[in-house]
Amino acid sequence: NAGVTQTPKFQVLKTGQSMTLQCAQDMNHNSMYWYRQDPGMGLRLIYYSASEGTTDKGEVPNGYNVSRLNKREFSLRLESAAPSQTSVYFCASIRGQANTDTQYFGPGTRLTVL
Amino acid sequence: GESVGLHLPTLSVQEGDNSIINCAYSNSASDYFIWYKQESGKGPQFIIDIRSNMDKRQGQRVTVLLNKTVKHLSLQIAATQPGDSAVYFCAENRDFGNEKLTFGTGTRLTIIP
């Protein structure tokens, strides 16, 4: 199993450009998550999907949209990138619930918005 | 607001010694805690977890202690190795059934050869 995979690994955007970060997991997990990680701060939840067909906002959803394409895939879209969205983005998945099961993380996407 | 935090942002330990990383949480309703390890350029990796009905749990070279009285969590790493150098995060799940974890800011552990 590859676990959680993310593409791309690195990306540089200009302000106002759009892009989609892709995430896929092959562990048949129900829930998937998107986090951002900034220096000196813990991981902050952007959006999550508790099951196929559902999505919910996390702590910092503004400027982002998500799509749970199927059970395996959960994408994060920036419609009009801003410098404040420069960050490292991590996707994660979990089989059951966050209070009982381990979250598995992808390797991250390093995004720079100029 | 309630948060998960770490007492020490950096920690240097001689190879072979034991290390202790601390974490404070403020929500007494939290019922599940996790420690993650994050190496440079990689995603967080699960180390060990503990539920609120336990006060100690051991893994391979790692032990997590939970003190609910003072809302304190610690990660002990025995006989540290160079590969233990990383940032360590604690995380808590505050509510039963809640799909969200709250993460601390992390402690950077450096193992000195």
Side-chain angles (χ1 to χ4, degrees), chain A residues 31 33 35 37 40-43 45 48 50 57-58 90 94 96-107 110, chain B residues 31-32 34 36 38 40-46 49 51 89 93 95-106:
Chain A
S31 301
Y33 304 79
Y35 294 92
Q37 184 177 42
M41 303 185 73
L43 290 160
L45 183 64
Y48 68 100
K57 295 179 180 179
F90 289 101
I94 193 170
Q97 294 181 316
N99 67 325
T100 58
D101 293 320
T102 304
Q103 285 195 5
Y104 293 87
F105 285 83
R110 284 147 185 80
Chain B
D31 62 355
Y32 182 56
I34 310 167
Y36 285 93
Q38 186 175 24
S40 181
K42 297 184 179 179
Q45 178 185 6
F46 171 85
D49 60 0
R51 298 201 58 82
F89 296 90
N93 170 260
D95 302 300
F96 182 79
N98 192 314
E99 296 298 327
K100 305 173 187 176
L101 290 176
T102 301
F103 290 83
T105 55

Side-chain angles (χ1 to χ4, degrees), chain A residues 41-94:
Chain A
M41 303 185 73
L43 290 160
R44 292 184 293 168
L45 183 64
I46 304 172
Y47 270 94
Y48 68 100
S49 171
S51 62
E52 186 179 352
T54 66
T55 61
D56 286 284
K57 295 179 180 179
E59 181 185 355
V60 288
N62 291 343
Y64 305 95
N65 285 301
V66 291
S67 295
R68 183 72 182 270
L69 305 170
N70 47 55
K71 192 171 186 179
R72 290 187 64 249
E73 299 172 288
F74 189 38
S75 63
L76 178 71
R77 183 161 177 82
L78 286 71
E79 289 291 351
S80 179
S84 61
Q85 294 179 304
T86 293
S87 188
V88 181
Y89 292 85
F90 289 101
C91 178
S93 71
I94 193 170

